[in-house]
């Protein structure tokens, strides 16, 4: 653990110890709120689930959690397949022409389109794509959060407000998408979300739900291209479990054990949320330190997932670490989706999405590396590659 006094005079701890991380995220979570950096995220997401704390967070989490049940996620599987089909058309075209493919952009477009279709259903085609350029596209392209982004966000919120109003007025129709589930959600007093709350939660869902999966898939394609032995096993599994598109269902996806391990291992090396921050709002004690109220806490899955004390040969990509017989013991720190009550709500959704993506696209396309250069890291809010990754697609 490292303690420091920040330039603004605030005390901070950087915690690199597995059991202390667990203590903060799980056992003592109620003593901590979200920490530094979240003020900026608030500008984009208002008081949505990722940034809210205390009673506001508890109420929203209780209202939203049922939307993420396995049963509901399974109903969105057809949308996942459709988004893969859209990518395949473009990839086949590039492969025929011998052109290289920007996998960073492709995985980003895939994940953004999927989350938008999962939230808005038919309104994605009817209300969003009809706007000309997809008004959400900047979320995947703009890494700068400047004034033009603020304007685009304002425009988005206006668009979302009109979609919400229209949906509320045609309550006779039966939709199945996140928007309909959020519109129907009620708290213990039977109250639903207000329009502003709903807007914040929808923006949160879009931002939380696409960049993380997109970044993971970006790294996964790069890692697979670098490891032909692992690629072979993944293809063998996909061909066995998903011989055709109609075989995509909950049972077959759950049977993709090696793909699951590969994704878990990619998330070990490249956890998209690489740094978590918290701020104590009452006093606490760690093993050797007192934590007064108002202390900033930093925790990094990126560092703990690569610490030799916990992982042998930590920089080696080896999906066998996650074989059912060799699951990390409780004291090995592994928390790409966080731990405890604030754990990610989209974990199951994202594994399903990534398995459909790999299961359908990998047996069709071989991706070759263009060179041996290792992509650098951009440690922003999310862990990205510092430049887009290009691969050479070939149809198998
Ligand atoms: C590989 C994919 C993903 C990763 C690694 C990931 C990771 C995380 C992490 C680490 C947090 C907690 C952050 C913190 O406590 O500071 C979180 C929260 C959250 N995630 Fe994910 N996420 C992923 C995909 C998704 C998807 C696909 C969705 C939605 C469809 C989603 C929805 C959420 C929500 C709503 C929260 C806030 C939960 C709360 O505070 O109660 N995530 N995610």
């Amino acid at each position: 653990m490292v303690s420091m006094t920040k330039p603004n005079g605030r005390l901070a701890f950087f915690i690199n110890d597995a059991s202390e991380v667990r203590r903060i995220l799980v056992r003592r979570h109620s003593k901590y709120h979200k920490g530094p950096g979240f003020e900026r995220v608030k500008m984009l997401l208002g008081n949505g689930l990722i940034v809210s704390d205390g009673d506001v967070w508890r109420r929203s989490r209780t209202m939203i959690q049922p939307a993420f049940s396995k049963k509901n996620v399974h109903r969105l599987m057809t949308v996942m397949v459709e988004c893969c089909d859209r990518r395949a058309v473009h990839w086949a075209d590039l492969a025929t022409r011998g052109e290289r493919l920007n996998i960073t952009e492709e995985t980003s477009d895939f994940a953004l389109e999927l989350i938008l279709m999962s939230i808005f259903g038919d309104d994605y085609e009817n209300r969003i794509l009809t706007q000309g350029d997809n008004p959400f596209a900047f979320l995947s392209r703009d890494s700068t959060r400047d004034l033009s982004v603020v304007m685009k966000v304002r425009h988005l919120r206006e668009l979302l407000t009109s979609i919400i109003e229209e949906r509320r007025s045609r309550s006779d129709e039966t939709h199945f998408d996140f928007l309909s589930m959020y519109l129907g959600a009620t708290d213990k007093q039977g109250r639903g979300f207000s329009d502003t709350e709903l807007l914040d939660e929808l923006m949160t869902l879009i931002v939380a739900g696409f960049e993380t999966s997109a970044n993971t898939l970006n790294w996964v394609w790069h890692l697979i291209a670098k490891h032909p032995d692992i690629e072979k096993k993944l293809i063998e599994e996909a061909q066995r479990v998903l011989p055709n598109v109609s075989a995509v269902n909950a049972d077959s996806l759950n049977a993709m054990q090696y793909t699951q391990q590969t994704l878990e291992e990619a998330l070990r090396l490249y956890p998209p949320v690489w740094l978590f921050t918290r701020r104590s709002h009452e006093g606490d004690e760690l093993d050797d330190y007192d934590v007064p109220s108002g202390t900033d806490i930093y925790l990094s899955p990126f560092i703990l997932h690569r610490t030799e004390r916990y992982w042998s040969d930590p920089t080696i990509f080896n999906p066998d670490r996650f074989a059912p017989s060799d699951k990390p013991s409780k004291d090995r720190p592994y928390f790409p989706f966080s731990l405890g009550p604030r754990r990610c709500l989209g974990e199951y959704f994202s594994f399903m999405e990534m398995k459909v993506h790999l299961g359908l696209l990998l047996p069709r396309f071989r991706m070759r590396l263009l060179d041996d250069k290792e992509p650098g890291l951009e440690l922003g809010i999310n862990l990205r590659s510092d430049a887009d990754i290009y691969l050479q697609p070939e149809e198998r």
Side-chain angles (χ1 to χ4, degrees):
M1 295 207 279
V2 181
S3 91
M4 56 199 149
T5 306
K6 302 204 318 185
N8 61 8
R10 196 181 279 280
L11 178 65
F13 289 114
F14 194 163
I15 300 186
N16 296 295
D17 178 272
S19 60
E20 298 293 8
V21 163
R22 186 167 283 280
R23 167 150 49 188
I24 286 175
L25 294 177
V26 185
R27 293 203 302 281
R28 304 272 178 85
H29 80 94
S30 61
K31 292 177 185 285
Y32 297 90
H33 283 161
K34 292 287 173 116
F38 279 96
E39 310 81 20
R40 284 202 356 248
V41 184
K42 247 186 169 123
M43 275 168 48
L44 188 62
L45 306 182
N47 217 8
L49 206 52
I50 282 199
V51 283
S52 60
D53 281 305
D55 290 343
V56 175
W57 166 77
R58 202 164 295 107
R59 171 175 178 261
S60 303
R61 174 100 186 187
T62 319
M63 289 169 75
I64 286 173
Q65 189 144 316
F68 287 86
S69 70
K70 288 190 174 173
K71 199 168 119 243
N72 284 339
V73 172
H74 296 160
R75 290 179 72 180
L76 292 166
M77 239 173 245
T78 46
V79 185
M80 296 175 185
V81 172
E82 200 180 324
C83 290
C84 290
D85 287 346
R86 289 174 187 228
R87 288 301 119 205
V89 173
H90 180 45
W91 296 9
D93 181 41
L94 290 177
T96 314
R97 290 193 275 126
E99 286 182 21
R100 56 187 203 153
L101 176 144
N102 181 338
I103 196 71
T104 310
E105 201 171 287
E106 289 297 318
T107 49
S108 186
D109 288 350
F110 165 79
L112 181 59
E113 191 157 68
L114 173 60
I115 196 69
L116 292 177
M117 286 169 75
S118 306
I119 295 175
F120 299 108
D122 293 344
D123 284 337
Y124 174 65
E125 297 265 349
N126 301 335
R127 295 292 314 275
I128 295 172
L129 289 187
T130 47
Q131 298 271 316
D133 285 343
N134 181 343
F136 292 90
F138 78 95
L139 290 173
S140 68
R141 305 272 146 78
D142 258 312
S143 48
T144 51
R145 303 264 180 260
D146 60 15
L147 202 63
S148 77
V149 172
V150 174
M151 295 308 289
K152 287 177 192 161
V153 169
R154 190 169 298 162
H155 170 61
L156 264 191
R157 290 181 80 92
E158 281 162 12
L159 175 64
L160 292 188
T161 308
S162 84
I163 296 178
I164 292 170
E165 275 168 6
E166 195 186 43
R167 276 286 183 101
R168 286 205 200 272
S169 70
R170 46 177 174 124
S171 52
D172 52 327
E173 282 185 48
T174 46
H175 281 273
F176 180 78
D177 47 37
F178 279 116
L179 177 54
S180 62
M181 290 188 271
Y182 278 34
L183 278 167
T186 49
D187 62 15
K188 285 197 191 111
Q189 279 74 44
R191 280 179 305 136
F193 284 124
S194 69
D195 280 0
T196 313
E197 288 167 345
L198 201 52
L199 266 177
D200 288 349
E201 294 304 348
L202 292 178
M203 289 297 290
T204 298
L205 191 51
I206 296 164
V207 170
F210 99 91
E211 211 181 337
T212 41
S213 307
N215 285 329
T216 310
L217 286 172
N218 182 37
W219 290 113
V220 166
W221 280 104
H222 169 76
L223 289 164
I224 293 174
K226 254 179 73 177
H227 294 88
D229 48 329
I230 293 171
E231 179 185 27
K232 205 165 140 226
K233 287 194 199 168
L234 288 168
I235 293 173
E236 184 280 314
E237 181 172 84
Q239 286 170 337
R240 182 167 44 81
V241 178
L242 301 179
N244 51 54
V245 172
S246 54
V248 175
N249 58 46
D251 291 340
S252 54
L253 293 181
N254 284 320
M256 293 172 76
Q257 175 59 33
Y258 192 71
T259 312
Q260 175 78 26
Q261 288 168 219
T262 305
L263 292 166
E264 288 177 5
E265 175 68 344
L267 285 162
R268 181 185 69 81
L269 280 174
Y270 300 103
V273 189
W274 66 281
L275 182 71
F276 301 0
T277 68
R278 296 291 187 264
R279 183 168 291 163
S280 59
H281 63 91
E282 49 181 284
D284 192 11
E285 289 131 40
L286 299 172
D287 250 357
D288 294 327
Y289 296 90
D290 284 334
V291 181
S293 170
T295 305
D296 285 347
I297 304 284
Y298 296 87
L299 316 165
S300 173
F302 180 82
I303 291 177
L304 281 164
H305 289 179
R306 289 168 177 248
T307 297
E308 202 142 27
R309 181 153 53 103
Y310 301 115
W311 304 89
S312 59
D313 297 323
T315 54
I316 306 285
F317 179 60
N318 173 15
D320 290 339
R321 291 178 205 276
F322 288 92
S325 55
D326 196 19
K327 277 272 179 208
S329 74
K330 263 196 135 196
D331 4 303
R332 261 211 285 189
Y334 183 71
F335 54 109
F337 295 96
S338 187
L339 300 168
R342 299 218 61 157
R343 192 181 175 116
C344 175
L345 264 182
E347 181 172 347
Y348 188 68
F349 179 99
S350 69
F351 276 120
M352 289 288 138
E353 138 185 40
M354 294 190 287
K355 283 185 189 172
V356 173
H357 179 100
L358 289 180
L360 294 181
L361 294 171
L362 188 59
R364 248 193 98 177
F365 296 96
R366 170 178 301 120
M367 296 288 179
R368 291 201 186 284
L369 292 175
L370 297 178
D371 53 48
D372 308 332
K373 262 204 347 240
E374 205 42 47
L377 303 175
E378 185 191 302
L379 299 163
I381 290 180
N382 265 288
L383 173 68
R384 303 181 185 193
S385 51
D386 67 350
D388 287 2
I389 299 176
Y390 287 85
L391 297 169
Q392 188 65 51
E394 284 166 18
E395 287 210 65
R396 289 187 203 275

